[in-house]
């Protein structure tokens, strides 16, 4: 039975019987999905020290407790309303925001919400075996924190579907539990969410780069004229920050350990001989997840993106920092690839909105990579990680039919194929990673050999805290 207590919320759920009934109907299916497709082996006998949002204010936000995962209290939270909020961009600039979905934009909004919603359970599915190979209890807890919050993000999108899209919305909510990451017949909507994540290097790169795509999408949706969508995504952003923290610090800790092992090996030695993860392998995984996440931003020239912007459905990240918000006549200079050459051309800015968001994303990623490189520098190594050129390894958009090396130099398909193993993870790399992760580490305070401990624990607990415990 659903109660405000079971589903913490600030949407007055108990005062809306119709919605409450709809969610009551959906909830058991969600729990079944979580059991079948969520963290494998950690459903019934483990308690995890997780943060549960019980309200949107800072205290309610920092509520930590041990819970069994299927008993996590997935809540529904909208950020507080902004008084007299006005539409911030597009053709309706300056008008009051909408509290209901306008009929003419119903399909577009539904599509945006379903596409966002689909990524949330997808990532839980992708990550469901990682607990069996965790490098420490601290990391295991972080994985589960990310997983339960992605579950909550699904709830957030399902809340919008049930509240504003009637029957169609209810059907979409069911289908969100029906599609499955990597399933041949019913795959998840976006490609990056069908890729397996079976080792922790992939997991950290995913939370660094793909959750950061989540951040850029949520930032653009938080500008939306549909106020409930804006408020929902604004609160989701606060959780997303933790996911990227997990990714960025996870890689930073691997790098730190790699540096230590390289020193032990006498700089020129093979880190793999000491059970670490060598820098070329780290770079290849970076290349893989960065390029997949670039694809998630959609085609460079997009009439959909133009229409979303014109209609005020999806804006630019930090719209208020721009001088001009209608963007009718402005142009964007873009690099096309024609007859084997790059050609710069102007396109209408509205048609380039995916690329504008991608620019923001690339900048945010680059700042993170620069922070990683400081570790290599501190240890006195000259190696550096770098973001590949945005044309590299693309499967969506205007570069997708061509091949480029990580510096953006065009190559023939044959040349790309023959050098691909230098730039993208190979089966041998995956096998190696699985071999060093074969033994999970469940002892408090102990860490796998390939990763350094974090500087501090979670919620001011010590690093050797029992972040996950089995029931007595
Ligand atoms: Fe999410
Ligand atoms: Fe996330």
């Amino acid at each position: 039975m659903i109660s405000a207590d079971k589903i913490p919320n600030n949407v007055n759920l108990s005062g809306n019987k119709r919605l409450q009934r709809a969610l009551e109907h959906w909830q058991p299916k969600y729990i079944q999905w979580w059991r079948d497709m969520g963290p494998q082996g950690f459903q019934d006998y483990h308690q995890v020290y997780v943060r549960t949002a019980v309200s949107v204010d800072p205290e309610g936000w920092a509520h930590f407790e041990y819970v069994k995962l299927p008993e996590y209290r997935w809540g529904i939270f909208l950020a507080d309303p902004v008084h007299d909020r006005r539409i911030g961009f597009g053709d309706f600039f300056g008008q009051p925001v909408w509290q209901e979905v306008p009929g003419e934009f119903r399909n577009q909004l539904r599509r945006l919400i379903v596409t966002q919603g689909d990524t949330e359970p997808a990532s839980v599915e992708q990550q469901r075996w990682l607990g069996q190979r965790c490098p420490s209890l601290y990391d295991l807890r972080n994985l589960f924190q990310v997983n339960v919050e992605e579950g909550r993000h699904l709830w957030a999108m399902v809340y919008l579907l049930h509240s504003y899209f009637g029957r169609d919305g209810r059907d979409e909510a069911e289908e969100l539990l029906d599609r499955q990451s990597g399933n041949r017949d019913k795959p998840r909507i976006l490609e990056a969410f069908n890729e397996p994540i079976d080792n922790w290097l992939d997991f950290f790169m995913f939370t660094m780069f793909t959750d950061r795509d989540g951040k850029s999408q949520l930032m653009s949706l938080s500008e939306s004229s549909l106020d409930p969508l804006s408020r929902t995504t604004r609160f989701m952003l606060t959780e997303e920050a933790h996911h990227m923290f997990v990714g960025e610090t996870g890689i930073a800790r691997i790098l730190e350990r790699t540096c230590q092992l390289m020193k032990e090996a006498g700089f020129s030695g093979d880190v793999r001989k000491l059970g670490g993860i060598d820098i070329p392998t780290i770079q290849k995984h970076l290349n893989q997840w960065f390029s997949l996440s670039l694809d998630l931003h959609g085609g460079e020239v997009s009439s959909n993106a133009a229409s979303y912007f014109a209609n005020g459905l999806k804006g630019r990240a930090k719209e208020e920092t721009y001088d001009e918000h209608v963007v009718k006549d402005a142009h964007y200079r873009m690099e096309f690839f024609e007859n084997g050459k790059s050609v710069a051309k102007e396109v209408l800015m509205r048609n380039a909105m995916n690329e504008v968001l991608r620019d923001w994303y690339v900048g945010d990623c680059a700042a993170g990579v620069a922070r990683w490189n400081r570790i290599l520098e501190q240890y006195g190594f000259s190696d550096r990680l770098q973001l590949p050129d945005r044309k590299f390894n693309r499967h969506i958009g205007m570069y997708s039919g061509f091949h480029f090396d990580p510096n953006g130099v065009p190559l023939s398909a044959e040349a790309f194929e023959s050098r691909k193993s230098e730039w993208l993870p190979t089966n041998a790399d995956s096998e190696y990673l699985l071999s060093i992760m074969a033994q999970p580490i469940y002892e408090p305070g102990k860490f796998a050999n390939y990763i350094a401990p974090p500087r501090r624990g979670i919620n001011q607990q010590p690093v050797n805290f029992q972040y996950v415990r089995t029931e007595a």
Side-chain angles (χ1 to χ4, degrees):
M1 193 55 195
I2 292 191
S3 66
D5 178 62
K6 190 123 190 253
I7 301 184
N9 72 88
N10 67 354
V11 296
N12 186 23
L13 196 54
S14 57
N16 185 341
K17 292 290 171 236
R18 191 193 56 78
L19 177 63
Q20 191 173 350
R21 264 199 307 276
L23 289 174
E24 264 171 28
H25 188 70
W26 185 78
Q27 187 189 37
K29 298 179 189 177
Y30 170 81
I31 298 292
Q32 194 56 50
W33 165 82
W34 175 270
R35 285 184 168 279
D36 295 342
M37 298 304 294
Q40 297 298 298
F42 294 91
Q43 300 276 350
D44 292 310
Y45 307 108
H46 293 80
Q47 293 182 331
V48 187
Y49 185 70
V50 283
R51 172 177 74 174
T52 305
V54 292
S55 74
V56 293
D57 54 56
E59 297 92 79
W61 172 229
H63 178 84
F64 281 80
E65 62 191 341
Y66 278 106
V67 295
K68 278 198 198 172
L69 291 179
E71 290 166 14
Y72 183 79
R73 294 186 299 146
W74 283 282
I76 298 170
F77 292 104
L78 275 61
D80 289 333
V82 173
H83 177 67
D84 192 31
R85 184 171 167 250
R86 301 275 158 163
I87 295 174
F89 60 95
D91 293 345
F92 307 106
F93 179 72
Q95 295 180 15
V97 290
W98 315 319
Q99 299 304 329
E100 292 292 335
V101 175
E104 64 269 43
F105 304 136
R106 193 182 163 89
N107 286 341
Q108 284 191 322
L109 280 163
R110 191 180 81 192
R111 182 161 157 203
L112 283 170
I113 292 169
V114 166
T115 307
Q116 177 63 42
D118 194 66
T119 66
E120 315 289 358
S123 65
V124 176
E125 294 167 354
Q126 285 170 293
Q127 296 162 15
R128 70 186 186 278
W129 292 105
L130 288 173
Q132 315 272 353
R133 301 171 190 139
C134 69
S136 73
L137 280 190
Y138 166 89
D139 292 289
L140 186 63
R141 176 251 166 239
N142 283 350
L143 166 70
F144 295 153
Q145 182 74 58
V146 171
N147 292 161
V148 293
E149 285 175 354
E150 300 305 6
R152 205 201 69 74
H153 292 174
L154 172 61
W155 274 85
M157 293 299 109
V158 163
Y159 160 76
L160 293 175
L161 289 169
H162 274 151
S163 300
Y164 300 99
F165 295 88
R167 225 214 118 83
D168 296 349
R170 290 198 294 281
D171 291 347
E172 294 283 10
E174 307 264 312
E175 282 170 40
L176 284 168
L177 296 176
D178 224 30
R179 286 185 289 272
Q180 262 178 29
S181 177
N183 185 299
R184 218 182 318 149
D185 303 320
K186 284 185 182 174
R188 290 295 174 183
I189 296 170
L190 301 169
E191 185 184 328
F193 293 89
N194 287 304
E195 296 288 320
I197 301 179
D198 51 15
N199 68 68
W200 282 74
L201 185 56
D202 279 326
F203 171 66
F204 291 134
M205 288 297 181
F206 181 94
T207 39
M208 174 73 176
F209 292 110
T210 308
D211 281 85
R212 193 175 308 273
D213 159 71
K215 179 179 169 186
S216 50
Q217 301 304 330
L218 293 174
M219 284 175 83
S220 66
L221 292 174
S222 70
E223 302 289 339
S224 184
S225 313
L226 179 62
D227 203 41
L229 175 59
S230 163
R231 291 173 56 200
T232 303
T233 46
R234 247 189 296 145
F235 186 66
M236 289 162 76
L237 277 166
T238 57
E239 291 159 316
E240 212 56 62
H242 175 70
H243 306 177
M244 285 173 292
F245 161 84
V246 169
E248 185 174 331
T249 57
I251 297 294
R253 289 162 50 216
I254 288 178
L255 274 176
E256 185 167 356
R257 185 64 185 142
T258 296
C259 288
Q260 290 166 358
L261 291 169
M262 276 161 68
K263 288 211 148 167
E264 274 175 44
F267 278 78
S268 59
D270 181 359
V271 176
R272 285 195 184 189
K273 287 205 179 105
L274 297 174
I277 305 178
D278 50 294
I279 289 174
T281 300
I282 297 173
Q283 179 68 55
K284 286 196 246 181
H285 286 75
L286 184 164
N287 292 347
Q288 162 98 340
W289 288 104
F290 177 70
S291 55
L292 278 168
S293 305
L294 287 178
D295 276 344
L296 291 173
H297 289 74
E300 286 75 12
V301 180
S302 162
S303 54
N304 273 338
S307 166
Y308 291 155
F309 188 86
N311 297 339
L313 311 182
K314 189 179 173 194
R316 292 170 289 189
K318 301 200 165 131
E319 184 63 45
E320 77 283 358
T321 61
Y322 291 86
D323 297 331
E324 209 269 298
H325 304 286
V326 180
V327 201
K328 257 217 147 113
D329 313 309
H331 285 76
Y332 180 94
R333 206 173 161 77
M334 199 181 276
E335 189 185 347
F336 283 73
F337 189 70
E338 288 173 353
N339 304 320
K341 276 203 206 87
S342 285
V343 192
K345 283 191 194 173
E346 304 262 305
V347 295
L348 272 179
M349 181 78 86
R350 280 188 175 184
N351 285 306
M353 283 304 171
N354 286 342
E355 195 63 4
V356 171
L357 192 58
R358 193 157 20 231
D359 287 338
W360 176 87
Y361 173 78
V362 172
D364 210 44
C365 290
V369 172
R371 289 190 289 272
W372 286 341
N373 281 331
R374 261 179 245 142
I375 300 169
L376 291 164
E377 204 182 314
Q378 277 159 13
Y379 276 85
F381 289 97
S382 56
D383 313 61
R384 295 290 179 266
L385 294 172
Q386 56 181 29
L387 292 178
D389 186 90
R390 69 172 82 185
K391 298 189 288 302
F392 172 76
N393 193 38
R394 294 289 300 281
H395 297 98
I396 286 182
M398 61 191 184
Y399 307 123
S400 62
F402 306 101
H403 294 92
F404 301 89
D405 76 6
N407 294 317
V409 177
L411 296 171
S412 67
E414 299 74 48
F416 181 83
E417 207 47 47
S418 74
R419 298 196 58 192
K420 202 172 129 183
S421 64
E422 295 168 40
W423 302 322
L424 291 167
T426 61
N427 287 338
D429 294 327
S430 306
E431 274 163 36
Y432 174 70
L433 291 173
L434 288 177
S435 77
I436 58 172
M437 297 174 191
Q439 289 302 320
I441 299 200
Y442 297 138
E443 200 182 307
K446 215 182 144 204
F447 288 80
N449 178 51
Y450 62 85
I451 191 166
R455 300 222 183 286
R456 57 188 74 84
I458 291 291
N459 193 32
Q460 292 169 5
Q461 300 290 358
V463 170
N464 65 2
F465 184 69
Q466 180 102 39
Y467 288 104
V468 179
R469 65 189 188 196
T470 41
E471 265 184 333

